[in-house]
Amino acid sequence: MESIFYRTNPDCHPGPLDIKFAYNMSLLKIISQNPNLQPGGHSRPKYCTALQKIAIIIPFRNRESHLRTWLYYMHPFLQQQQADYGVYVVEQTEDTLFNRAKLMNVGYSVAIKDYNYTCFIFTDVDIIPMDGRNLFRCSDNPRHMANSVDKFNFKLPYNDIFGGIVAFTKEQFIKVNGFSNVFWGWGGEDDELFQRVVAMGMKVERPDQTIARSKMISHKRDPGNESTGKSFHLIKKAHERLHKDGLNSLIYTIISITSHKLYTKITVDIGNGE
Ligand code: UDH
């Protein structure tokens, strides 16, 4: 079976991976390359019991080719890491401003009812790790795993950055009351999440920057994800909203939950912020 690991390392040891984006791969090809997946994009190691049960949550709208790329690289990546995991693609329906953070909260709320997950990894659809040693796992503190991205020259653009890929245990995510629901359009929700982590007495852990090297698919700002310019003011009041805006105030309507071979698709109406 061809996989990113066989292609780059015949002994299948984890290490640097050869990530080359190609947007024309078919879902059928990806399915045929992952014969051990269970419906809904679930997998668990065959010969051992994983210590963590991991839900991967992806916010989504109109990024089909990016999703195919993510699935192509990430299923082999996660299986090679012996992960017990399921993939949840949370699609915002309506033609209103995108709300990445609220979709993450919905993904958590649906996944937690699906399986006894202990770890939640919230990832953008367009970031692919470049090293098999970058373990997709939770830790004693929330983790920021996109701390070495090619777009930012493999450096942190600023210290409090907490976007791209983050990992929380169930307890950690409940402790911060999830993401804020009030960030419509681009930006700010990840910075506010950082504030929540610190306010609740935790710190952000990051993997070694060499191992965490990741590639981001370059793209233009999506229509419907414009910046409203309100983020800065919202973040200034992050502490005031922490306990009343988040998982405990989440309102949404599920349109459908569909079990695909490579992922579970949650289509949701999250309103329009009014
Ligand atoms: N997304 C969609 N459809 C959209 C908009 C966003 O699926 O129309 C999802 C997708 O998973 C994407 C994620 O939301 O990867 C984030 O949106 P983005 O790709 O526009 O964000 P951006 O590339 O993020 O700008 C770069 C890192 C931000 C640095 C931290 C700033 N605080």
Side-chain angles (χ1 to χ4, degrees):
M1 182 183 72
E2 187 197 0
S3 87
I4 50 173
F5 296 96
Y6 286 93
R7 270 207 310 279
T8 53
N9 194 330
D11 293 324
C12 203
H13 293 310
L17 305 172
D18 183 20
I19 307 296
K20 292 195 180 81
F21 294 139
Y23 303 109
N24 56 356
M25 63 199 63
S26 76
L27 285 175
L28 281 178
K29 183 178 174 194
I30 305 170
I31 291 167
S32 72
Q33 288 179 340
N34 293 279
N36 298 323
L37 280 184
Q38 301 301 309
H42 293 265
S43 179
R44 65 175 68 131
K46 219 171 173 177
Y47 301 112
C48 60
T49 303
L51 294 175
Q52 300 184 10
K53 299 186 191 323
I54 306 160
I56 311 270
I57 315 287
I58 306 176
F60 183 81
R61 186 164 74 185
N62 293 332
R63 294 277 197 104
E64 275 71 21
S65 71
H66 293 185
L67 179 59
R68 280 202 301 276
T69 303
W70 191 94
L71 295 164
Y72 173 72
Y73 283 114
M74 294 310 290
H75 273 305
F77 179 91
L78 292 162
Q79 288 169 72
Q80 198 279 337
Q81 292 189 351
Q82 306 282 341
D84 181 344
Y85 72 96
V87 175
Y88 297 82
V89 175
V90 193
E91 179 183 52
Q92 182 173 341
T93 49
E94 65 284 332
D95 232 6
T96 51
L97 271 181
F98 197 69
N99 188 327
R100 176 179 175 272
K102 202 167 175 186
L103 294 174
M104 300 297 204
N105 283 343
V106 171
Y108 167 87
S109 305
V110 172
I112 198 88
K113 292 182 204 139
D114 201 26
Y115 188 53
N116 52 344
Y117 290 114
T118 56
C119 172
F120 294 81
I121 300 190
F122 302 93
T123 177
D124 287 353
V125 74
D126 52 12
I127 302 184
I128 310 292
M130 296 167 68
D131 195 308
R133 293 169 296 178
N134 184 1
L135 274 185
F136 267 46
R137 295 291 190 277
C138 285
S139 184
D140 294 342
N141 284 283
R143 300 183 71 214
H144 178 226
M145 298 166 68
N147 60 325
S148 182
V149 178
D150 61 347
K151 175 174 170 169
F152 301 122
N153 218 8
F154 303 108
K155 296 190 176 103
L156 285 182
Y158 56 97
N159 275 342
D160 297 356
I161 190 168
F162 201 41
I165 314 173
V166 295
F168 284 75
T169 63
K170 181 180 164 188
E171 292 72 26
Q172 289 160 0
F173 200 60
I174 291 171
K175 201 167 177 183
V176 298
N177 196 18
F179 282 82
S180 162
N181 297 310
V182 300
F183 285 81
W184 297 86
W186 188 90
E189 78 293 341
D190 45 353
D191 297 326
E192 160 129 354
L193 189 64
F194 187 97
Q195 300 293 327
R196 289 178 174 225
V197 169
V198 175
M200 294 313 293
M202 296 183 283
K203 60 176 191 178
V204 166
E205 289 183 17
R206 294 190 169 110
D208 178 277
Q209 270 187 320
T210 309
I211 287 169
R213 286 163 76 89
S214 307
K215 223 168 175 171
M216 192 181 283
I217 301 173
S218 60
H219 63 88
K220 297 204 173 78
R221 183 75 51 82
D222 304 84
N225 197 24
E226 295 78 20
S227 168
T228 62
K230 292 181 184 162
S231 298
F232 180 71
H233 301 286
L234 286 171
I235 294 167
K236 280 216 296 206
K237 303 209 164 167
H239 293 227
E240 288 173 28
R241 288 198 327 279
L242 199 161
H243 297 291
K244 53 185 182 190
D245 162 27
L247 289 177
N248 65 359
S249 65
L250 179 64
I251 295 173
Y252 61 94
T253 305
I254 296 289
I255 306 298
S256 62
I257 299 181
T258 319
S259 181
H260 293 260
K261 287 227 157 89
L262 297 167
Y263 55 92
T264 299
K265 170 80 120 0
I266 304 161
T267 303
V268 61
D269 179 351
I270 54 171
N272 58 13
E274 285 165 7

